[in-house]
Amino acid sequence: DAKTTQPPSMDCAEGRAANLPCNHSTISGNEYVYWYRQIHSQGPQYIIHGLKNNETNEMASLIITEDRKSSTLILPHATLRDTAVYYCIDLYGNNRLAFGKGNQVVVIP
Amino acid sequence: SAVISQKPSRDICQRGTSLTIQCQVDSQVTMMFWYRQQPGQSLTLIATANQGSEATYESGFVIDKFPISRPNLTFSTLTVSNMSPEDSSIYLCSVGLLAGGADTQYFGPGTRLTVL
């Protein structure tokens, strides 16, 4: 079962930063947090992952709290194409991903 | 990342028949996984496809229903056997690659299966 908690849905304004929260209070010290998104039943797309430090790539930034109990995915300038279900996930045994219900993010013009 | 392809992309099948789904990756990978996504639901891991040995199935999934082959490090198949309408789902394969210090999974486009 997923060990992360996300809001079921949220709306974001096009062109503004989208901040997607995730709680993972039971994550262990050496487990990474991964973010994926799924656009309309396509295969999930990897976005970013992190352990303790904040991370940034061409898609997004990941801010992890110092106690590692929560994180925030930031899409710096949301576009309509960012409308998707976003999953915050950690691994369990032997590199297996446990997908929860995710956060349905809708970018509004 | 990796380029992952699946065949077929979609199919409509009759109950009681079987369908084999192929997953091909453009580089050698150690870890391959098969997932199911039922309509309106999230992804559920079916099994880990192990090269050279039997697949490792998650709770609720059995080899007789979902036999898996992994003949080499770039290819795997999942068979959905004796299908019923409840097997209508999207089936996805993923591969694990080391990226940024951690094993990261990349997913194929999926196979959309409808069982009548």
Side-chain angles (χ1 to χ4, degrees), chain A residues 34 36 38 49 95-96 100, chain B residues 31 37 42 58 99 103 105:
Chain A
Y34 294 80
Y36 287 79
Q38 188 174 27
H49 69 274
N95 299 312
R96 295 173 294 175
Chain B
M31 311 196 76
Q37 186 171 29
S42 186
E58 298 298 304
D103 288 308
Q105 289 187 32

Side-chain angles (χ1 to χ4, degrees), chain A residues 9-13 103-108:
Chain A
S9 64
M10 61 187 292
D11 294 339
C12 305
N103 178 0
Q104 173 66 70
V105 173
V106 176
V107 180
I108 299 173

Side-chain angles (χ1 to χ4, degrees), chain A residues 1-2 5 23 25-26 31 35-37 51-53 58-59 64 68 70 77 80 85 87-88 96-98 100 108:
Chain A
D1 290 339
T5 304
N23 289 324
S25 57
T26 61
E31 289 180 344
W35 283 83
Y36 287 79
R37 72 181 183 184
L51 182 61
K52 290 187 285 189
N53 301 320
E58 64 278 6
M59 291 183 67
I64 303 173
R68 299 209 335 117
S70 66
H77 304 285
L80 300 180
V85 178
Y87 296 97
C88 167
R96 295 173 294 175
L97 294 173
I108 299 173

Side-chain angles (χ1 to χ4, degrees), chain B residues 2 11 14 27 33-34 47 63 70 75 78 87 99 105 107 116:
Chain B
D11 207 343
Q14 297 297 319
S27 59
F33 305 87
W34 286 98
I63 188 171
R70 179 86 194 272
F75 186 78
L78 169 75
D87 293 319
Q105 289 187 32
F107 285 81
L116 302 178

Side-chain angles (χ1 to χ4, degrees), chain B residues 14-19 64-67 79-87 115:
Chain B
Q14 297 297 319
R15 75 166 64 217
T17 63
S18 299
L19 176 71
D64 289 346
K65 177 66 176 177
F66 297 102
T79 299
V80 186
S81 303
N82 188 25
M83 288 183 286
S84 67
E86 291 72 35
D87 293 319
V115 184

Side-chain angles (χ1 to χ4, degrees), chain B residues 78-100:
Chain B
L78 169 75
T79 299
V80 186
S81 303
N82 188 25
M83 288 183 286
S84 67
E86 291 72 35
D87 293 319
S88 296
S89 297
I90 298 173
Y91 292 86
L92 300 118
C93 69
S94 73
V95 302
L97 295 173
L98 189 63

